[in-house]
Amino acid sequence: MKNGDRVLISPQVTGRPDWIEGTVIQVENNPFVGIVITAKSDDGETFFEKEYLFKKVELCTR
């Protein structure tokens, strides 16, 4: 993942009942926990957590 990528953010991170969409604003290689993603949701909230709690949104261009 890289800055600007569209992602789904896990309910485990947001506390909401479903996955929500957002945009990656920072990718950090933390020496203690590995890759940490910071993403801003479409409603303006910022969330950060380990990489496995985010899913990259793949756009279909057909």
Side-chain angles (χ1 to χ4, degrees):
M1 281 186 228
K2 62 185 184 315
N3 288 356
D5 283 350
R6 294 291 294 167
V7 292
L8 293 174
I9 307 167
S10 169
Q12 191 174 344
V13 177
T14 64
R16 299 180 186 181
D18 296 313
W19 291 73
I20 63 170
E21 283 198 43
T23 303
V24 174
I25 58 174
Q26 182 179 6
V27 179
E28 173 190 354
N29 189 359
N30 185 300
F32 301 104
V33 296
I35 304 295
V36 175
I37 303 294
T38 304
K40 189 172 202 173
S41 67
D42 292 341
D43 62 5
E45 287 188 77
T46 302
F47 300 96
F48 64 94
E49 190 52 81
K50 296 175 191 166
E51 183 178 34
Y52 75 92
L53 293 165
F54 297 83
K55 293 181 185 176
K56 189 171 178 182
V57 174
E58 299 295 334
L59 299 176
C60 181
T61 57
R62 285 186 165 198

